């Protein structure tokens, strides 16, 4: 993998951030439903690429700005996920309570203010980006690219193993959530830098794809339960439907991890 790959990756993800911001700035109904999600993906991917420039003060500053932007966008994304979950629930179980209308308004307000809140950090990051790219190639230690990629993959894999074992043992929602985040980081790294990694790591990334999908769905239903609990008019049956769905997902997760993932986890 040439060093040009890293500079191209920085440019590509920066362009994605710009496109997502344009979508978020669109008036009312013109806003893309997945604009916040796209923005978060691009922010996370750009931060990942910049890890290879550790030691550069500019790269570290860029990562801090991007991290703050990512945190600020969390609430809008959670509202999107909750709306999607409620829409699915209502299709299967017609409900009398129109809580989705209130959430839709909340999401609209959140999106409207998102760019205002993100602007200082995004403007600061993009202002640093062009000067940074001009000298980015010289910042990469070409001899250590593969070693750095594999060291980080090993570190992230150890995190995945620990979080999954804890979640399997406890079955708690918070521990499954922590496992999901660990897998997301590992898979993001593995997909983005696959040419620098060995076959074993690429196999782990592939096996964990299904687990990440299930964990994402489990997390979405859990978040929906928490939000719906604040609605006094919510019938207990609604919560029961969602909790039952969560339990079924946990059973599928545990079975798949023990049958398909455990051997991969044990491999050295």
């Amino acid at each position: 993998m040439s060093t040009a790959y890293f500079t191209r990756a920085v440019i590509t993800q920066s362009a994605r951030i710009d496109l997502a911001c344009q979508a978020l700035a669109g008036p009312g109904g013109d806003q893309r439903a997945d604009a916040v999600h796209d923005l978060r993906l691009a922010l996370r991917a750009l931060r990942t690429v910049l890890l290879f420039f550790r030691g550069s003060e500019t790269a570290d500053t860029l990562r801090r700005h991007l991290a703050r932007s990512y945190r600020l966008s969390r609430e809008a994304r959670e509202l999107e996920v909750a709306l999607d979950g409620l829409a699915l629930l209502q299709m299967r179980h017609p409900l009398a309570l129109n809580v989705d209308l209130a959430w839709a308004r909340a999401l609209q307000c959140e999106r409207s203010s998102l760019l205002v809140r993100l602007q200082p950090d995004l403007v600061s990051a993009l202002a640093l980006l062009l000067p940074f790219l001009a000298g980015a190639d010289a910042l990469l230690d070409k001899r250590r690219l593969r070693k750095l990629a594999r060291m980080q993959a090993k570190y992230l894999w150890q995190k995945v193993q620990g979080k999954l074992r804890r979640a399997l043992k406890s079955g708690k929602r918070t521990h499954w959530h922590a496992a999901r985040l660990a897998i997301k980081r590992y898979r993001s790294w593995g997909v983005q830098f696959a040419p620098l990694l060995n076959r074993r790591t690429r196999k782990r990334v592939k096996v964990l794809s299904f687990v990440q999908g299930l964990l994402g769905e489990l997390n979405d239903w859990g978040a929906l339960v928490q939000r719906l609990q604040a609605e006094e008019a919510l019938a207990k049956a609604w919560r029961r439907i969602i909790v039952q769905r969560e339990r079924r997902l946990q059973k599928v997760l545990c079975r798949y991890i023990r049958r398909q993932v455990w051997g991969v986890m044990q491999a050295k």
Side-chain angles (χ1 to χ4, degrees):
M1 182 185 286
S2 67
T3 54
Y5 170 87
F6 294 90
T7 52
R8 282 199 305 271
V10 172
I11 293 169
T12 299
Q13 301 308 328
S14 302
R16 285 181 66 192
I17 291 172
D18 187 52
L19 286 173
C21 287
Q22 289 178 34
L24 283 169
D30 293 338
Q31 294 178 341
R32 265 207 340 267
D34 56 353
V36 176
H37 183 52
D38 283 355
L39 176 64
R40 287 170 64 78
L41 287 176
L43 288 170
R44 190 166 64 238
L46 184 52
R47 286 179 64 216
T48 301
V49 176
L50 290 171
L51 277 172
F52 276 93
F53 299 91
R54 272 184 293 198
S56 161
E57 185 177 343
T58 305
D60 292 342
T61 303
L62 272 165
R63 293 190 78 250
R64 284 196 295 272
H65 285 308
L66 297 170
R68 279 195 292 267
S69 297
Y70 190 80
R71 287 194 296 271
L72 283 170
S73 65
R74 184 179 299 145
E75 177 66 16
R77 178 56 187 160
E78 287 176 353
L79 281 167
E80 282 184 340
V81 169
L83 281 166
D84 289 342
L86 187 61
L88 180 61
L89 185 64
Q90 287 181 319
M91 277 196 314
R92 295 180 180 176
H93 309 278
L95 307 172
L97 183 62
N98 291 320
V99 291
D100 57 325
L101 296 178
W103 281 354
R105 287 193 294 271
L107 177 58
Q108 195 70 12
C109 292
E110 185 70 22
R111 280 179 156 187
S112 299
S113 64
L114 181 58
L115 272 183
V116 175
R117 294 184 294 119
L118 291 179
Q119 194 171 19
D121 283 314
L122 285 178
V123 168
S124 299
L126 295 176
L128 290 169
L129 199 57
L130 286 178
F132 170 76
L133 285 173
D137 189 65
L139 295 172
L140 285 169
D141 187 341
K142 301 169 184 63
R143 296 167 300 177
R144 298 188 65 216
L145 288 180
R146 189 177 299 277
K147 182 179 179 180
L148 287 171
R150 293 187 175 187
M151 283 174 58
Q152 182 69 5
K154 182 179 179 181
Y155 168 76
L156 293 173
W157 176 243
Q158 289 171 347
K159 290 289 186 182
V160 168
Q161 288 180 299
K163 301 296 184 184
L164 274 179
R165 286 194 179 101
R166 189 176 185 186
L168 283 168
K169 185 177 180 179
S170 73
K172 292 182 179 179
R173 185 184 295 159
T174 52
H175 293 161
W176 283 118
H177 178 64
R180 182 180 72 90
L181 294 179
I183 290 173
K184 184 188 290 187
R185 295 186 187 103
Y186 181 74
R187 292 195 65 249
S188 176
W189 187 268
V191 169
Q192 203 157 7
F193 304 113
L196 292 172
L197 303 172
N198 56 33
R199 185 184 302 174
R200 181 181 57 207
T201 301
R202 294 195 294 271
K203 181 180 178 182
R204 289 170 177 170
V205 167
K206 186 176 180 180
V207 168
L208 288 172
S209 174
F210 182 68
V211 177
Q212 183 179 337
L214 286 176
L215 285 171
E217 189 176 350
L218 182 65
N219 181 73
D220 294 347
W221 285 116
L224 183 58
V225 168
Q226 289 180 336
R227 286 189 175 273
L228 288 177
Q229 299 229 2
E231 299 292 335
E232 294 181 3
L234 177 64
K236 291 182 180 179
W238 296 15
R239 290 198 296 271
R240 191 161 55 246
I241 290 168
I242 300 172
V243 170
Q244 286 172 354
R245 176 64 177 164
E246 282 188 277
R247 288 172 180 166
R248 284 197 296 271
L249 280 169
Q250 283 202 26
K251 287 181 181 178
V252 173
L253 263 169
C254 293
R255 186 165 59 246
Y256 183 83
I257 290 170
R258 291 190 172 107
R259 291 181 180 178
Q260 304 295 331
V261 183
W262 202 253
V264 177
M265 286 177 63
Q266 300 299 324
K268 300 296 182 183

